[in-house]
Amino acid sequence: MDVKIGVLALQGNVSEHIDAFVLALDRLGCGRSSEVVTVRHPADLEGCQALALPGGESTTISRLIDKNHLYEPIRTFPGGIFATCAGMVLIATHVDDARIHTLNLIDMTVDRNAFGRQRESFETDLPIDSLGGESFHAIFIRAPVATHAGTSVKVLSRLDQGIVAVEQEKHMALSFHPELGGDTRLHERFLKKIGI
Ligand code: GLN
């Protein structure tokens, strides 16, 4: 296999990310020469060019990352990381919740559950810089936002509450759920960015 993508499979939207990456790889013309695998232990990361950190419950995922000895292997993972929702919380340098053992891979401060209870879930058409100004139908579920991003971070989209899409080097983080809904443009953009 030429391309191997891992999806962290400790808790959360795992199968949706696997399906979305399979579809995105197909649409990029490398479906036959690629595989998408689940990552539960450090050895599962071997040979992966990218890793997805899915949405779910960030405090639970953080605890399981530590328990499964994945913290250091993910922090030093040489490939690109595609982090969504709870994943965006985990990949940040600063989070408003001391229970999160942050991976410190994207220089930003993240607020969990930034949209409050009454707006726990909503959908909106979001203009995203890296999609050539096109909008993306984004699904937000108890979503975080970044309230501050460092100068090395490229902000791709924001709402009134804060930043909802960023890139830093090989990594991409999104507050919403691109794996739901069948639109794989952001998965494709990420894969192209890391040279696939
Ligand atoms: N609010 C959740 C958390 O901080 C994230 C929600 C999600 O991933 N859909 O863990």
Side-chain angles (χ1 to χ4, degrees):
M1 290 290 167
D2 300 335
V3 179
K4 187 173 170 189
I5 309 290
V7 175
L8 186 70
L10 301 175
Q11 191 262 337
N13 287 4
V14 176
S15 60
E16 294 86 345
H17 267 292
I18 294 175
D19 293 349
F21 269 114
V22 167
L23 199 56
L25 287 160
D26 233 20
R27 287 175 176 165
L28 289 176
C30 38
R32 281 166 196 273
S33 55
S34 60
E35 61 180 334
V36 183
V37 300
T38 52
V39 172
R40 293 194 179 86
H41 304 284
D44 301 330
L45 284 169
E46 240 162 70
C48 288
Q49 285 103 323
L51 174 69
L53 302 181
E57 184 57 40
S58 53
T59 50
T60 304
I61 299 175
S62 184
R63 190 168 43 75
L64 293 172
I65 285 175
D66 284 340
K67 183 167 176 251
N68 288 19
H69 309 289
L70 275 163
Y71 179 82
E72 211 48 41
I74 295 176
R75 220 187 52 75
T76 55
F77 178 66
I81 297 187
F82 186 78
T84 65
C85 205
M88 175 162 166
V89 175
L90 297 167
I91 202 170
T93 45
H94 299 92
V95 177
D96 67 336
D97 189 326
R99 291 171 297 175
I100 309 288
H101 189 187
T102 53
L103 290 160
N104 296 325
L105 291 171
I106 297 187
D107 181 14
M108 61 182 169
T109 302
V110 168
D111 276 2
R112 297 181 63 212
N113 304 323
F115 295 91
R117 283 193 150 224
Q118 80 278 19
R119 293 187 65 202
E120 275 176 347
S121 303
F122 65 98
E123 302 183 16
T124 188
D125 288 321
L126 202 60
I128 307 232
D129 263 14
S130 57
L131 295 179
E134 286 175 31
S135 66
F136 190 93
H137 189 72
I139 301 171
F140 289 80
I141 304 171
R142 293 187 304 116
V145 296
T147 51
H148 171 81
T151 49
S152 50
V153 177
K154 189 169 165 202
V155 174
L156 304 179
S157 193
R158 60 171 84 227
L159 290 172
D160 289 346
Q161 290 82 351
I163 297 163
V164 295
V166 296
E167 286 178 348
Q168 182 174 325
E169 293 152 23
K170 296 171 293 213
H171 310 316
M172 182 185 272
L174 310 167
S175 296
F176 51 93
H177 288 269
E179 75 283 10
L180 306 175
D183 185 344
T184 55
R185 284 176 299 157
L186 286 168
H187 288 78
E188 289 171 48
R189 148 99 195 159
F190 166 74
L191 290 170
K192 281 194 211 149
K193 203 163 81 79
I194 61 167
I196 289 168

